[in-house]
Amino acid sequence: MKKKLAIFDLDGTLFDTKDVNFLSYKHALEKYNYKLEYEYFCKSCYGMSFEKFLPKIIKDNKVSIYDIHKLKKELYLSNLGQAKINNHLFNIIELLKEKYFLAIVTTASRKNCIEILEYFRKHDLFDLIISHDDVLHVKPNPEGFIKAMKFFNIEPRETIIFEDSSVGIEAARKSGAGVFCVNKF
């Protein structure tokens, strides 16, 4: 019986999806006559919930951020060729899977999370996926991490979280679990 839990963020940790997300949001926003610059996206949007950054781009309320996000999710699959896999971390996951439950906690949508895992044939590695769709409060709130620990009945002291973004690291620390910061791969 497994008594430990390893939780992984998706974007920036398991996969470099910056270009995938940028292109998907860029094209979704263009449909509504908004522009998105790459540098701005990287600095002010990537790793955050769309509910936090889209209102800063769409200031006139002529279109719903939810409509733009829905279109972004539809465009995501067509841009997956731009994603890069963190092979080193997946090698570690292979070593952990015998003794640890493996979970993903992400601010990404469930749809986009499943798409990238299937694209890279990694879906079957994980015992649980908690996405933006499964929580009321996204990172930096630790709700997703706590929910994963409760699902497996694993204490924070028996949990390690792999994260890359400042909001994700903050949420991981608030959960009481150990934290590994992924900087580059």
Side-chain angles (χ1 to χ4, degrees):
M1 177 83 178
K2 296 177 185 180
K3 297 180 182 173
K4 295 183 184 282
L5 172 61
I7 303 174
F8 302 87
D9 176 49
L10 184 76
D11 296 314
T13 302
L14 292 174
F15 303 97
D16 178 348
T17 58
K18 190 179 296 178
D19 291 346
V20 178
N21 282 292
F22 168 71
L23 290 171
S24 300
Y25 275 116
K26 178 181 186 283
H27 295 133
L29 285 161
E30 283 173 351
K31 183 175 189 268
Y32 293 98
N33 297 315
Y34 294 98
K35 290 190 181 213
L36 181 63
E37 300 295 328
Y38 186 74
E39 286 183 34
Y40 176 80
F41 177 79
C42 294
K43 182 180 175 185
S44 302
C45 307
Y46 187 66
M48 296 182 66
S49 167
F50 74 96
E51 293 170 312
K52 296 213 187 282
F53 72 81
L54 278 179
K56 295 174 185 173
I57 297 169
I58 303 164
K59 297 176 182 173
D60 57 20
N61 293 328
K62 289 181 184 175
V63 63
S64 164
I65 63 169
Y66 299 98
D67 290 339
I68 290 174
H69 183 66
K70 180 181 176 189
L71 180 56
K72 176 264 179 187
K73 289 190 300 186
E74 292 169 9
L75 295 167
Y76 189 85
L77 184 61
S78 66
N79 292 306
L80 274 178
Q82 301 298 313
K84 296 170 192 84
I85 188 169
N86 187 341
N87 286 312
H88 294 299
L89 191 51
F90 276 101
N91 290 337
I92 292 169
I93 289 169
E94 287 293 336
L95 297 171
L96 291 175
K97 72 180 183 180
E98 295 303 317
K99 295 188 178 187
Y100 286 74
F101 288 109
L102 303 174
I104 291 176
V105 174
T106 179
T107 58
S109 69
R110 175 165 296 280
K111 177 185 184 307
N112 290 162
C113 182
I114 299 298
E115 286 172 339
I116 194 165
L117 289 170
E118 289 177 350
Y119 182 87
F120 284 99
R121 295 184 172 96
K122 300 295 184 184
H123 185 268
D124 293 341
L125 278 174
F126 297 96
D127 303 301
L128 176 69
I129 296 170
I130 296 177
S131 72
H132 180 275
D133 308 320
D134 303 310
V135 295
L136 294 175
H137 308 286
V138 296
K139 302 168 190 174
N141 188 297
E143 179 186 350
F145 297 129
I146 293 167
K147 198 171 188 176
M149 288 183 255
K150 286 182 179 179
F151 180 86
F152 294 107
N153 197 28
I154 304 284
E155 294 294 320
R157 69 178 176 273
E158 299 298 332
T159 302
I160 187 69
I161 299 172
F162 293 80
E163 261 290 353
D164 70 303
S165 69
S166 59
V167 293
I169 292 166
E170 181 182 341
R173 287 184 176 141
K174 286 178 182 175
S175 77
V179 182
F180 272 83
C181 299
V182 177
N183 189 10
K184 280 187 171 181
F185 62 88

